[in-house]
Amino acid sequence: MPILFAVLHLLGILSLTCRASGSDSSVTTPITCTTRGADLTEEKQLVLCPPNCTLWRVSVFGSQVYAAVSSVCGAAVHQGVIRSSGGPVKVHKQQGRHNYLGSYSHGVQSQALSRWTSSFTVAQSVHVPQEVSSQIATTVLPASGPGLVKKTLKKPVKKISTGGNRDCQMEIALLLDSSNNIGQRRFNLQKNFISKLAVMLRIGPNGPHLGVVQASDTPRTEFLLTNYTQPKDVVFAIKGIAYLGGNTNTGKAIMHTVESFFQTGVRRGHPRVIVVFIDGWPSDDLEDAAVLARESGINVFLVPVAKPALEELGMVRDKDYMKKAVCKDNGYFTYAIPSWFGTTKHVKPLAQKLCSVDQLLCSKTCYNSVNLGFLIDGSSSVGEGNFRLILDFITSVARSFDISDIGSRVGAVQFTYDQRMEFNMYDYPVKEDALRALQGIPYMSGGTATGDAVAYATQNLFLARKAGPGRNFLIVVTDGQSYDDVRGPALAAQKEGITIYSVGVAWAPMDDLQTMASEPKDSHTFFTREFTGLQQFQQPLVRGICRDFTEAN
């Protein structure tokens, strides 16, 4: 077998080499199961994988983006581009990267890898008759027979189908109980229930995205958020999930979902929810995992099924596990089902609860739900070099948040005696663009009228971003004493629901800083003698904003 393995691998490389000179990317190149991404000669190439590659011990590293040392056909099966029967695959070479994530999908376990020099992605190949001109198609179709004509015409419709519930744009991880406690029969009922739930949620490219993780002795990712974006594909994938058995290590599975599952294919700014199904009770502790989830901006939603009877309570490790797992013990973040039998009536109510995005306060965290206004001192005493240090500081603060068109927003005003709107909350809905805009603010130079600047920001920066409590934050960075009154404008801003953080440098008087700052003054005021000391406030400032947001909501 090792000799046959080596021969097939060599034949695959030779086949690629023979086609490298003057080849057309539209020509399908046959390869072997062990052909690696590094063996391909073109940046974009259409290859043909043989059947039964899953029978070989193919090596795959990564998820969605694969290290070039991976088997191309193995990656294609893992991604769901082809099945065990093989088929054509589009391969696109990419640059190397760090932290390739391992995951289990479509019967293939990919491995994690810290770094590799080059990468590739795989995608489905478009059927040739769909790519030729309409004139050629009319000469070909009659010979295909009426049955194949209909089939060919239907394919493009499936390819371009879009949709999903636009009012439920969420990232959902379904965490299934695959323990000995549930057993094979109830496990199948659980799969049937979540299939109906996926359809009811109206999974789609513009709606909720859904993936599945199994809880057992060791957690296992079955498929990621972007593997399937149509209900029928999700249902098919769920049907193929195999029962594991073992302990109900739900806490370990939640930890895995936070640290691994939500690191790939997550849409920025969309609420993230782990829906945890528990048959009976968990074998391990949930509290630490739930705290990590909340701190990562992920809501834990529990669905207990067949809760322990009175005589079984002594076997439950932590009787308050549900209270500790959810963000608020108000009944909203749990949905109890008495039995796996007759669950159909619970599908719609659970879907409605999950899609009440504004109610999921653990998902709508400080990271993806706040409006950050930066009020930047551009006076002559700051100087060009120190002004750059201020911009570095506020950029590092903004980088901690999920900036997007449906997430957090950022705006900036520079002030001297006058005020200049650098950009408002709606100008840059893409995080990278907002960070570049902050870094690119030109230095003004002039006097220091901080009170007028606070009033200007209140009236202009937050005008279009009216929000609930703990959502609007103004971070004032100044290096000197204001020539005007700061108390009145600061109080007016706070009455409008704006929380003010004062950051002083060098000659900024503590009295002015604390007068502007929201209550409690000490936790909303920062001061350093040197501009180089600003970066030490980045984490305390972000934590303070998150604390204010959580307490207000």
Side-chain angles (χ1 to χ4, degrees), residues 426-471:
Y426 280 103
D427 285 344
Y428 297 103
V430 177
K431 183 172 183 176
E432 289 75 17
D433 295 341
L435 298 181
R436 278 194 294 269
L438 286 172
Q439 283 286 297
I441 294 174
Y443 176 48
M444 286 175 67
S445 185
T448 309
T450 314
D452 283 346
V454 172
Y456 177 86
T458 302
Q459 295 165 10
N460 297 279
L461 197 56
F462 296 97
L463 187 62
R465 295 294 288 180
K466 293 291 183 183
R471 300 292 178 92

Side-chain angles (χ1 to χ4, degrees), residues 134-399:
S134 58
Q135 183 178 0
I136 298 175
T138 55
T139 61
V140 174
L141 288 176
S144 303
L148 290 178
V149 171
K150 289 181 181 178
K151 187 175 180 180
T152 304
L153 292 173
K154 286 181 181 178
K155 274 190 175 181
V157 176
K158 292 180 181 178
K159 291 284 183 183
I160 63 172
S161 64
T162 59
N165 185 359
R166 291 179 178 271
D167 296 325
C168 186
Q169 296 191 39
M170 307 174 70
E171 311 293 80
I172 302 172
L174 297 183
L175 204 162
L176 306 189
D177 189 333
S178 191
S179 65
N180 291 332
N181 197 48
I182 192 171
Q184 180 72 64
R185 184 186 181 194
R186 294 201 302 273
F187 180 76
N188 290 337
L189 292 173
Q190 179 183 217
K191 289 201 301 179
N192 185 51
F193 177 76
I194 66 168
S195 294
K196 294 176 181 177
L197 181 64
V199 174
M200 183 63 69
L201 287 168
R202 290 167 55 200
I203 304 299
N206 301 317
H209 287 182
L210 184 146
V212 172
V213 175
Q214 286 207 74
S216 179
D217 287 328
T218 301
R220 189 167 85 178
T221 299
E222 294 297 338
F223 57 89
L224 298 167
L225 293 165
T226 52
N227 285 147
Y228 309 103
T229 56
Q230 295 297 337
K232 60 181 178 60
D233 297 326
V234 172
V235 170
F236 183 83
I238 291 171
K239 190 177 294 185
I241 295 174
Y243 171 58
L244 298 177
N247 290 316
T248 315
N249 289 336
T250 308
K252 191 175 181 180
I254 293 174
M255 196 81 73
H256 164 82
T257 307
V258 174
E259 294 177 339
S260 177
F261 178 90
F262 280 115
Q263 301 303 313
T264 304
V266 180
R267 294 171 293 181
R268 180 170 291 147
H270 289 62
R272 292 169 287 170
V273 182
I274 304 174
V275 183
V276 183
F277 293 88
I278 300 178
D279 183 274
W281 58 89
S283 304
D284 61 351
D285 180 66
L286 267 62
E287 187 171 10
D288 290 344
V291 169
L292 176 64
R294 288 197 292 275
E295 289 180 349
S296 304
I298 301 168
N299 176 62
V300 176
F301 192 105
L302 288 186
V303 183
V305 184
K307 291 192 293 185
L310 287 175
E311 61 271 18
E312 296 176 318
L313 286 176
M315 303 167 62
V316 181
R317 177 172 176 168
D318 184 354
K319 297 178 180 62
D320 293 327
Y321 74 88
M322 283 198 287
K323 293 181 180 179
K324 294 176 180 178
V326 300
C327 72
K328 286 190 177 183
D329 181 29
N330 59 1
Y332 184 84
F333 300 95
T334 58
Y335 187 94
I337 297 177
S339 168
W340 286 113
F341 300 93
T343 56
T344 302
K345 62 185 177 183
H346 298 288
V347 173
K348 186 175 181 180
L350 179 56
Q352 289 174 336
K353 249 192 173 185
L354 292 175
C355 284
S356 299
V357 179
D358 290 334
Q359 297 295 325
L360 293 175
L361 299 179
C362 286
S363 292
K364 282 193 118 18
T365 65
C366 59
Y367 297 107
N368 63 20
S369 302
V370 299
N371 306 309
L372 303 175
F374 293 103
L375 192 55
I376 310 162
D377 188 343
S379 61
S380 301
S381 57
V382 174
E384 182 75 42
N386 289 332
F387 187 76
R388 293 294 119 196
L389 293 176
I390 292 177
L391 296 185
D392 289 341
F393 165 64
I394 64 175
T395 301
S396 69
V397 172
R399 187 176 286 112

Side-chain angles (χ1 to χ4, degrees), residues 496-547:
E496 290 293 321
I498 300 171
T499 303
I500 298 180
Y501 279 84
S502 299
V503 181
V505 193
W507 307 107
M510 186 59 70
D511 286 346
D512 276 5
L513 297 175
Q514 293 203 325
T515 297
M516 288 187 291
S518 294
E519 296 286 352
K521 302 290 186 180
D522 288 343
S523 61
H524 289 80
T525 305
F526 299 89
F527 177 79
T528 177
R529 283 290 176 194
E530 304 294 335
F531 284 86
T532 52
L534 284 171
Q535 283 298 340
Q536 67 182 304
F537 301 143
Q538 184 263 335
Q539 287 189 359
L541 184 55
V542 171
R543 283 199 298 266
I545 290 171
C546 287
R547 180 195 60 235

